[in-house]
């Protein structure tokens, strides 16, 4: 979408992707007891937004959809999710926007950078930021470096599923550009 300006159709699609990412994050929740976090498939729509509609859409879908899901049941993860998933969508969009046409190579790199962002982002929050915040605000004292290490594997699986699923959906939709007649 990088060659088109933002349209009403783009806004509607981004709103739909925000809703889909929230729903996908809530519907399939596999708990990870070490951190009280959970495995989900909402990243598929975050990656799709970045690949298909660019960095702003990726940022909005990543920063809002999964965060809405966390607000319903896991509010302590809102800061980590908003930053990590927003950055995931932004980076996917920035990298993918440099790809030519429907070329797949750079988009594959973009999608997997997004997956790595999820792993790294949650690790940093769970190993360092939340333990530091937990000293002043007990609600954040839910994890430590050991738990973050345990959660790295499920987050890696989640990142790979998000990258592959997002790429598959992008490929299916890559011929459609909102706002183009």
């Amino acid at each position: 979408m990088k060659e088109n300006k933002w349209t009403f159709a783009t806004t509607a699609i981004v709103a739909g992707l925000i809703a889909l990412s929230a729903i996908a994050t809530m519907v399939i929740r596999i708990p990870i007891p070490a951190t009280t976090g959970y495995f989900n498939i909402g990243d598929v729509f975050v990656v799709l937004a970045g690949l298909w509609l660019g960095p702003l859409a990726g940022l909005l879908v990543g920063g809002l959809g999964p965060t809405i899901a966390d607000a319903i049941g896991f509010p302590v993860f809102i800061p980590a999710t908003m930053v990590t998933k927003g950055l995931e969508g932004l980076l996917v969009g920035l990298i993918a926007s440099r790809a030519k046409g429907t070329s797949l190579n750079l988009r594959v790199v973009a999608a997997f950078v997004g997956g790595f962002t999820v792993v790294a982002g949650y690790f940093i929050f769970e190993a360092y930021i939340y333990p530091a915040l937990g000293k002043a605000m007990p609600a954040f004292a839910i994890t430590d470096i050991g738990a973050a290490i345990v959660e790295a594997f499920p987050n890696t699986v989640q990142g790979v599923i998000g990258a592959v699923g997002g790429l598959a959906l992008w490929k299916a939709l890559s011929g459609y550009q909102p706002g183009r007649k």
Side-chain angles (χ1 to χ4, degrees):
M1 160 124 179
K2 58 188 174 285
E3 63 274 292
N4 295 333
K5 62 182 180 179
W6 194 279
T7 65
F8 180 76
T10 307
T11 302
I13 291 168
V14 168
L17 290 172
I18 289 169
L20 285 169
S21 68
I23 291 165
T25 300
M26 289 187 288
V27 170
I28 297 179
R29 280 187 174 166
I30 300 171
I32 303 169
T35 63
T36 70
Y38 57 94
F39 171 90
N40 66 81
I41 60 166
D43 293 290
V44 168
F45 297 102
V46 176
V47 171
L48 172 62
L51 292 173
W52 186 26
L53 302 171
L56 179 58
L59 173 68
L60 291 171
V61 172
L64 296 175
T67 302
I68 290 167
D70 277 354
I72 303 169
F74 296 87
V76 74
F77 282 100
I78 288 172
T81 297
M82 184 173 277
V83 171
T84 300
K85 303 291 181 101
L87 186 59
E88 172 191 20
L90 176 69
L91 291 175
V92 169
L94 287 171
I95 295 167
S97 67
R98 300 175 87 51
K100 305 278 190 244
T102 57
S103 170
L104 199 55
N105 293 343
L106 199 52
R107 287 186 176 87
V108 169
V109 171
F112 281 94
V113 165
F116 175 76
T117 302
V118 170
V119 177
Y122 279 111
F123 184 85
I124 291 166
F125 267 91
E126 292 166 357
Y128 303 107
I129 296 173
Y130 277 6
L133 288 173
K135 291 176 183 170
M137 296 174 274
F140 288 101
I142 58 170
T143 187
D144 57 28
I145 194 160
I149 290 169
V150 169
E151 191 167 289
F153 178 72
N155 281 342
T156 300
V157 173
Q158 180 174 314
V160 169
I161 290 171
V164 171
L167 281 163
L169 288 176
W170 170 81
K171 191 65 179 156
L173 295 169
S174 61
Y176 176 72
Q177 293 293 323
R180 183 184 289 169
K181 297 186 183 208

